[in-house]
Each structure stands twice: as C-alpha cells, then as structure tokens.
Amino acid sequence: MFTGIIEAIGTVASVTSVSGDLRLTIRTGALDLADVKLGDSIATNGVCLTVVALPGDGFVADVSRESLAHTRIGSWQAGTQVNLEKALLPTTRLGGHMVSGHVDGVGRISQRQADARSIRLTVEAPAELARYIAAKGSITVDGVSLTVNTLSDAGFTLNIVPHTAAETTLISSQPGQQVHLEVDMIARYLEQLVKAPDNTEKTPMDAAFLAQHGFWK
C-alpha cells in the first residue's frame, strides 16, 4: 500500500527483455534505500514493483506481460524519469489517500495551462473508469495523489500546486503525454459490494439504500 505522496524522482537506468518480460533497473536518486530489502515494494510512476536486486544506487524489478499490457512501461527507456514512493508503514502519515499501486488504465493529458502559480491539467480518462472519478474526489496520476477539480465528458481537471510540481515529474507534463491512472479504491470496492448476482434483482444504490446501510442520514 502507498499514499501517493512522492518521495523522490528516479531515472530508468536500463530496460532489458528477459523471455518476453522486462527487467528494469531504476536509479533512485534521493530515495533512502537503507530500510529497503529484497521483496519490498516500490511504487514507480504508480506501478507497484517488487525489488529483486539492490545494486547500491537503486533497485531492479521485473515487469510481467500483464503489467506491460495495462501500463506504459513498455515505452520506458534509459533516461525516463519516474516518481518513486516506498510502501507505507503503520506509522506513516496518510498525507494522500490509500493507493494500491495497481494501475486501472492509461489516460492522456489533453491540455496544460497556467493557473496563478499552479499548473492546471486536463486529463482524458478511459470511458470504463469515468464512473469511479468524482469531483473533489481522489485520483492517482503517475503515482501522485491528486484531487479532481471538475469533470467533463472526456475526463477531468487537476491543479498541480508548486510544491507537487517541483517534487514530481508532473512539472514536465505536456499535452499528448500518457499517464497511469488509479482510481479511488473505495469506489471500486463499493461498486462490487452493491453489485447483485446476475440471477437476483439488482438494488439501486440511491439515498434509501445508503441510509439503510448506514452511509446516509
């Protein structure tokens, strides 16, 4: 589990094909690896990767074909910058929101504009993710926990404040760029909980249903 609060920006050192999968070597820069051991998880642009080697200045991870099919890791090359976050501890402050590191889909930045000292981004999201995205709700973009400003038919808008821009790769984001998206896991689990089996009558998730189950007064 992660929080979406980026700890450092790393750089892809190498990408190697191994029997149809990929092996990545990531230089971690300012990320403190003193408490990282083999088998630990590090979110890399929002993708939960398992550490398989620690060469000293970073880590090595394998990427399966399943992960390659649902992310843009296949387009990474030496020099690609990535957002890094170590898995949270029980004592970690939850400054962002609960993030699993399991990417739900790939979006595309369609617009970037200045908004006072912030950067306003418009992101197009896959249609199948739209129902999980809510105005003023949380979403993870390339591993960064962000608040959705507004929704549109095509996607959503975000404000990247100066600190977030300076500490993440979002400072260099441009229209046309693809980004990893992970929706709020609470929305996904809530949908699954209220989904009835195909052979039973489906119950609408309205105010009466929420009140009955203690979510609405």
mmCIF file of all heavy atoms in Angstrom, residues 1-5 7 31-32 35-37 39-44 47-49 51 84-93 99-101:
data_model
loop_
_atom_site.group_PDB
_atom_site.id
_atom_site.type_symbol
_atom_site.label_atom_id
_atom_site.label_comp_id
_atom_site.label_asym_id
_atom_site.label_seq_id
_atom_site.Cartn_x
_atom_site.Cartn_y
_atom_site.Cartn_z
ATOM 1 N N MET A 1 0.840 -1.194 0.000
ATOM 2 C CA MET A 1 0.000 0.000 0.000
ATOM 3 C C MET A 1 0.875 1.244 0.000
ATOM 4 O O MET A 1 1.966 1.257 0.553
ATOM 5 C CB MET A 1 -0.909 0.011 1.233
ATOM 6 C CG MET A 1 -1.891 -1.148 1.302
ATOM 7 S SD MET A 1 -3.055 -1.144 -0.062
ATOM 8 C CE MET A 1 -3.921 0.378 0.247
ATOM 9 N N PHE A 2 0.319 2.315 -0.589
ATOM 10 C CA PHE A 2 1.041 3.572 -0.720
ATOM 11 C C PHE A 2 0.080 4.722 -0.398
ATOM 12 O O PHE A 2 -1.111 4.512 -0.152
ATOM 13 C CB PHE A 2 1.592 3.719 -2.137
ATOM 14 C CG PHE A 2 2.413 2.533 -2.589
ATOM 15 C CD1 PHE A 2 1.826 1.477 -3.263
ATOM 16 C CD2 PHE A 2 3.769 2.468 -2.315
ATOM 17 C CE1 PHE A 2 2.569 0.374 -3.657
ATOM 18 C CE2 PHE A 2 4.525 1.374 -2.709
ATOM 19 C CZ PHE A 2 3.923 0.326 -3.380
ATOM 20 N N THR A 3 0.619 5.939 -0.393
ATOM 21 C CA THR A 3 -0.202 7.115 -0.097
ATOM 22 C C THR A 3 -0.322 8.071 -1.273
ATOM 23 O O THR A 3 -1.129 8.987 -1.242
ATOM 24 C CB THR A 3 0.369 7.899 1.096
ATOM 25 O OG1 THR A 3 1.615 8.491 0.708
ATOM 26 C CG2 THR A 3 0.586 6.997 2.291
ATOM 27 N N GLY A 4 0.515 7.896 -2.294
ATOM 28 C CA GLY A 4 0.512 8.831 -3.414
ATOM 29 C C GLY A 4 1.321 10.094 -3.134
ATOM 30 O O GLY A 4 1.262 11.044 -3.913
ATOM 31 N N ILE A 5 2.070 10.108 -2.034
ATOM 32 C CA ILE A 5 2.963 11.221 -1.729
ATOM 33 C C ILE A 5 4.369 10.820 -2.198
ATOM 34 O O ILE A 5 5.002 9.933 -1.612
ATOM 35 C CB ILE A 5 2.977 11.554 -0.230
ATOM 36 C CG1 ILE A 5 1.552 11.877 0.245
ATOM 37 C CG2 ILE A 5 3.919 12.719 0.044
ATOM 38 C CD1 ILE A 5 0.905 13.051 -0.450
ATOM 39 N N GLU A 7 8.218 10.459 -2.881
ATOM 40 C CA GLU A 7 9.386 10.657 -2.027
ATOM 41 C C GLU A 7 10.621 11.089 -2.806
ATOM 42 O O GLU A 7 11.523 11.715 -2.247
ATOM 43 C CB GLU A 7 9.688 9.371 -1.262
ATOM 44 C CG GLU A 7 8.566 8.964 -0.306
ATOM 45 C CD GLU A 7 8.873 7.662 0.402
ATOM 46 O OE1 GLU A 7 8.525 6.600 -0.132
ATOM 47 O OE2 GLU A 7 9.474 7.717 1.501
ATOM 48 N N LEU A 31 16.033 8.934 -2.939
ATOM 49 C CA LEU A 31 15.225 7.998 -2.154
ATOM 50 C C LEU A 31 16.113 7.191 -1.214
ATOM 51 O O LEU A 31 17.094 6.569 -1.639
ATOM 52 C CB LEU A 31 14.463 7.051 -3.077
ATOM 53 C CG LEU A 31 13.443 6.130 -2.400
ATOM 54 C CD1 LEU A 31 12.262 6.946 -1.880
ATOM 55 C CD2 LEU A 31 12.966 5.048 -3.354
ATOM 56 N N ASP A 32 15.791 7.178 0.064
ATOM 57 C CA ASP A 32 16.565 6.452 1.075
ATOM 58 C C ASP A 32 16.240 4.962 0.980
ATOM 59 O O ASP A 32 15.117 4.538 1.255
ATOM 60 C CB ASP A 32 16.226 6.987 2.465
ATOM 61 C CG ASP A 32 17.042 6.316 3.563
ATOM 62 O OD1 ASP A 32 17.961 5.539 3.237
ATOM 63 O OD2 ASP A 32 16.744 6.569 4.750
ATOM 64 N N ASP A 35 16.307 1.134 4.441
ATOM 65 C CA ASP A 35 15.369 0.189 5.050
ATOM 66 C C ASP A 35 14.672 -0.689 4.016
ATOM 67 O O ASP A 35 13.704 -1.382 4.327
ATOM 68 C CB ASP A 35 14.321 0.942 5.872
ATOM 69 C CG ASP A 35 13.504 1.922 5.039
ATOM 70 O OD1 ASP A 35 13.908 2.219 3.892
ATOM 71 O OD2 ASP A 35 12.462 2.407 5.530
ATOM 72 N N VAL A 36 15.157 -0.682 2.772
ATOM 73 C CA VAL A 36 14.558 -1.483 1.707
ATOM 74 C C VAL A 36 15.315 -2.797 1.573
ATOM 75 O O VAL A 36 16.547 -2.823 1.564
ATOM 76 C CB VAL A 36 14.583 -0.723 0.362
ATOM 77 C CG1 VAL A 36 14.073 -1.608 -0.777
ATOM 78 C CG2 VAL A 36 13.751 0.548 0.455
ATOM 79 N N LYS A 37 14.558 -3.897 1.472
ATOM 80 C CA LYS A 37 15.179 -5.215 1.301
ATOM 81 C C LYS A 37 14.532 -5.925 0.119
ATOM 82 O O LYS A 37 13.506 -5.482 -0.411
ATOM 83 C CB LYS A 37 15.029 -6.042 2.575
ATOM 84 C CG LYS A 37 13.600 -6.313 2.993
ATOM 85 C CD LYS A 37 13.554 -7.055 4.326
ATOM 86 C CE LYS A 37 12.130 -7.433 4.735
ATOM 87 N NZ LYS A 37 11.249 -6.252 4.879
ATOM 88 N N GLY A 39 12.290 -8.091 -2.090
ATOM 89 C CA GLY A 39 10.883 -8.451 -1.907
ATOM 90 C C GLY A 39 9.996 -7.287 -1.525
ATOM 91 O O GLY A 39 8.773 -7.416 -1.541
ATOM 92 N N ASP A 40 10.601 -6.162 -1.137
ATOM 93 C CA ASP A 40 9.812 -4.980 -0.804
ATOM 94 C C ASP A 40 9.200 -4.384 -2.070
ATOM 95 O O ASP A 40 9.637 -4.661 -3.191
ATOM 96 C CB ASP A 40 10.669 -3.928 -0.114
ATOM 97 C CG ASP A 40 10.945 -4.260 1.341
ATOM 98 O OD1 ASP A 40 10.372 -5.252 1.844
ATOM 99 O OD2 ASP A 40 11.738 -3.546 1.981
ATOM 100 N N SER A 41 8.200 -3.531 -1.875
ATOM 101 C CA SER A 41 7.515 -2.888 -2.989
ATOM 102 C C SER A 41 7.874 -1.411 -3.066
ATOM 103 O O SER A 41 7.963 -0.740 -2.040
ATOM 104 C CB SER A 41 5.998 -3.026 -2.843
ATOM 105 O OG SER A 41 5.608 -4.384 -2.860
ATOM 106 N N ILE A 42 8.067 -0.933 -4.283
ATOM 107 C CA ILE A 42 8.285 0.486 -4.530
ATOM 108 C C ILE A 42 7.372 0.896 -5.682
ATOM 109 O O ILE A 42 7.400 0.286 -6.757
ATOM 110 C CB ILE A 42 9.752 0.790 -4.886
ATOM 111 C CG1 ILE A 42 10.667 0.447 -3.704
ATOM 112 C CG2 ILE A 42 9.924 2.258 -5.269
ATOM 113 C CD1 ILE A 42 12.141 0.687 -3.963
ATOM 114 N N ALA A 43 6.529 1.896 -5.443
ATOM 115 C CA ALA A 43 5.654 2.408 -6.496
ATOM 116 C C ALA A 43 6.486 3.260 -7.442
ATOM 117 O O ALA A 43 7.164 4.200 -7.012
ATOM 118 C CB ALA A 43 4.515 3.228 -5.902
ATOM 119 N N THR A 44 6.437 2.915 -8.722
ATOM 120 C CA THR A 44 7.242 3.584 -9.740
ATOM 121 C C THR A 44 6.294 4.129 -10.799
ATOM 122 O O THR A 44 5.714 3.368 -11.573
ATOM 123 C CB THR A 44 8.242 2.591 -10.355
ATOM 124 O OG1 THR A 44 8.987 1.958 -9.290
ATOM 125 C CG2 THR A 44 9.196 3.278 -11.303
ATOM 126 N N VAL A 47 3.096 2.321 -10.365
ATOM 127 C CA VAL A 47 3.063 0.876 -10.554
ATOM 128 C C VAL A 47 3.829 0.211 -9.412
ATOM 129 O O VAL A 47 5.000 0.516 -9.185
ATOM 130 C CB VAL A 47 3.692 0.466 -11.905
ATOM 131 C CG1 VAL A 47 3.563 -1.043 -12.116
ATOM 132 C CG2 VAL A 47 3.046 1.227 -13.051
ATOM 133 N N CYS A 48 3.173 -0.692 -8.706
ATOM 134 C CA CYS A 48 3.824 -1.407 -7.608
ATOM 135 C C CYS A 48 4.810 -2.413 -8.181
ATOM 136 O O CYS A 48 4.416 -3.379 -8.840
ATOM 137 C CB CYS A 48 2.765 -2.114 -6.759
ATOM 138 S SG CYS A 48 3.447 -3.070 -5.393
ATOM 139 N N LEU A 49 6.101 -2.193 -7.947
ATOM 140 C CA LEU A 49 7.150 -3.090 -8.428
ATOM 141 C C LEU A 49 7.841 -3.752 -7.246
ATOM 142 O O LEU A 49 8.040 -3.125 -6.201
ATOM 143 C CB LEU A 49 8.176 -2.321 -9.261
ATOM 144 C CG LEU A 49 7.669 -1.673 -10.553
ATOM 145 C CD1 LEU A 49 8.799 -0.928 -11.256
ATOM 146 C CD2 LEU A 49 7.056 -2.711 -11.492
ATOM 147 N N VAL A 51 11.098 -5.372 -5.530
ATOM 148 C CA VAL A 51 12.551 -5.272 -5.598
ATOM 149 C C VAL A 51 13.160 -6.675 -5.671
ATOM 150 O O VAL A 51 12.951 -7.497 -4.780
ATOM 151 C CB VAL A 51 13.098 -4.528 -4.362
ATOM 152 C CG1 VAL A 51 14.626 -4.521 -4.364
ATOM 153 C CG2 VAL A 51 12.555 -3.102 -4.312
ATOM 154 N N LEU A 84 8.786 8.040 -7.424
ATOM 155 C CA LEU A 84 9.046 6.903 -6.554
ATOM 156 C C LEU A 84 8.434 7.098 -5.170
ATOM 157 O O LEU A 84 8.477 8.197 -4.608
ATOM 158 C CB LEU A 84 10.556 6.692 -6.387
ATOM 159 C CG LEU A 84 11.361 6.410 -7.666
ATOM 160 C CD1 LEU A 84 12.847 6.362 -7.344
ATOM 161 C CD2 LEU A 84 10.906 5.116 -8.320
ATOM 162 N N GLU A 85 7.871 6.004 -4.639
ATOM 163 C CA GLU A 85 7.361 6.001 -3.263
ATOM 164 C C GLU A 85 7.521 4.604 -2.692
ATOM 165 O O GLU A 85 7.091 3.623 -3.312
ATOM 166 C CB GLU A 85 5.882 6.411 -3.210
ATOM 167 C CG GLU A 85 5.333 6.443 -1.792
ATOM 168 C CD GLU A 85 3.814 6.552 -1.720
ATOM 169 O OE1 GLU A 85 3.170 6.710 -2.767
ATOM 170 O OE2 GLU A 85 3.283 6.465 -0.595
ATOM 171 N N LYS A 86 8.131 4.518 -1.522
ATOM 172 C CA LYS A 86 8.231 3.233 -0.838
ATOM 173 C C LYS A 86 6.881 2.883 -0.212
ATOM 174 O O LYS A 86 6.053 3.754 0.059
ATOM 175 C CB LYS A 86 9.308 3.297 0.247
ATOM 176 C CG LYS A 86 10.721 3.488 -0.294
ATOM 177 C CD LYS A 86 11.769 3.438 0.804
ATOM 178 C CE LYS A 86 11.690 4.639 1.722
ATOM 179 N NZ LYS A 86 12.820 4.674 2.699
ATOM 180 N N ALA A 87 6.668 1.579 0.020
ATOM 181 C CA ALA A 87 5.431 1.137 0.652
ATOM 182 C C ALA A 87 5.291 1.767 2.032
ATOM 183 O O ALA A 87 6.279 1.960 2.744
ATOM 184 C CB ALA A 87 5.407 -0.384 0.755
ATOM 185 N N LEU A 88 4.057 2.071 2.412
ATOM 186 C CA LEU A 88 3.833 2.759 3.683
ATOM 187 C C LEU A 88 4.031 1.813 4.864
ATOM 188 O O LEU A 88 3.901 0.591 4.734
ATOM 189 C CB LEU A 88 2.458 3.418 3.725
ATOM 190 C CG LEU A 88 1.188 2.564 3.645
ATOM 191 C CD1 LEU A 88 0.808 2.020 5.015
ATOM 192 C CD2 LEU A 88 0.030 3.406 3.104
ATOM 193 N N LEU A 89 4.349 2.400 5.999
ATOM 194 C CA LEU A 89 4.487 1.683 7.262
ATOM 195 C C LEU A 89 3.278 1.997 8.141
ATOM 196 O O LEU A 89 2.561 2.986 7.903
ATOM 197 C CB LEU A 89 5.763 2.120 7.974
ATOM 198 C CG LEU A 89 7.088 1.876 7.226
ATOM 199 C CD1 LEU A 89 8.227 2.577 7.966
ATOM 200 C CD2 LEU A 89 7.359 0.407 7.070
ATOM 201 N N PRO A 90 3.028 1.201 9.190
ATOM 202 C CA PRO A 90 1.908 1.505 10.095
ATOM 203 C C PRO A 90 2.018 2.897 10.721
ATOM 204 O O PRO A 90 1.014 3.489 11.118
ATOM 205 C CB PRO A 90 2.006 0.407 11.157
ATOM 206 C CG PRO A 90 2.686 -0.723 10.473
ATOM 207 C CD PRO A 90 3.664 -0.080 9.535
ATOM 208 N N THR A 91 3.243 3.428 10.801
ATOM 209 C CA THR A 91 3.456 4.735 11.424
ATOM 210 C C THR A 91 3.469 5.876 10.403
ATOM 211 O O THR A 91 3.656 7.034 10.771
ATOM 212 C CB THR A 91 4.797 4.744 12.180
ATOM 213 O OG1 THR A 91 5.846 4.366 11.274
ATOM 214 C CG2 THR A 91 4.766 3.777 13.342
ATOM 215 N N THR A 92 3.280 5.565 9.122
ATOM 216 C CA THR A 92 3.332 6.584 8.084
ATOM 217 C C THR A 92 2.111 7.496 8.152
ATOM 218 O O THR A 92 0.986 7.037 8.315
ATOM 219 C CB THR A 92 3.386 5.934 6.682
ATOM 220 O OG1 THR A 92 4.510 5.060 6.627
ATOM 221 C CG2 THR A 92 3.511 6.989 5.597
ATOM 222 N N ARG A 93 2.342 8.802 8.013
ATOM 223 C CA ARG A 93 1.212 9.721 7.906
ATOM 224 C C ARG A 93 0.551 9.534 6.555
ATOM 225 O O ARG A 93 1.219 9.513 5.523
ATOM 226 C CB ARG A 93 1.688 11.165 8.040
ATOM 227 C CG ARG A 93 2.058 11.562 9.456
ATOM 228 C CD ARG A 93 2.563 12.982 9.513
ATOM 229 N NE ARG A 93 2.798 13.415 10.881
ATOM 230 C CZ ARG A 93 3.514 14.485 11.208
ATOM 231 N NH1 ARG A 93 4.062 15.223 10.268
ATOM 232 N NH2 ARG A 93 3.675 14.807 12.474
ATOM 233 N N VAL A 99 -3.545 4.061 -1.757
ATOM 234 C CA VAL A 99 -3.185 3.739 -3.134
ATOM 235 C C VAL A 99 -2.625 2.319 -3.163
ATOM 236 O O VAL A 99 -1.776 1.967 -2.341
ATOM 237 C CB VAL A 99 -2.128 4.735 -3.671
ATOM 238 C CG1 VAL A 99 -1.662 4.338 -5.063
ATOM 239 C CG2 VAL A 99 -2.689 6.152 -3.656
ATOM 240 N N SER A 100 -3.097 1.501 -4.095
ATOM 241 C CA SER A 100 -2.664 0.104 -4.149
ATOM 242 C C SER A 100 -1.447 -0.115 -5.031
ATOM 243 O O SER A 100 -0.743 -1.115 -4.892
ATOM 244 C CB SER A 100 -3.815 -0.781 -4.648
ATOM 245 O OG SER A 100 -4.087 -0.510 -6.016
ATOM 246 N N GLY A 101 -1.199 0.797 -5.973
ATOM 247 C CA GLY A 101 -0.125 0.581 -6.930
ATOM 248 C C GLY A 101 -0.530 -0.313 -8.083
ATOM 249 O O GLY A 101 0.317 -0.777 -8.845
#
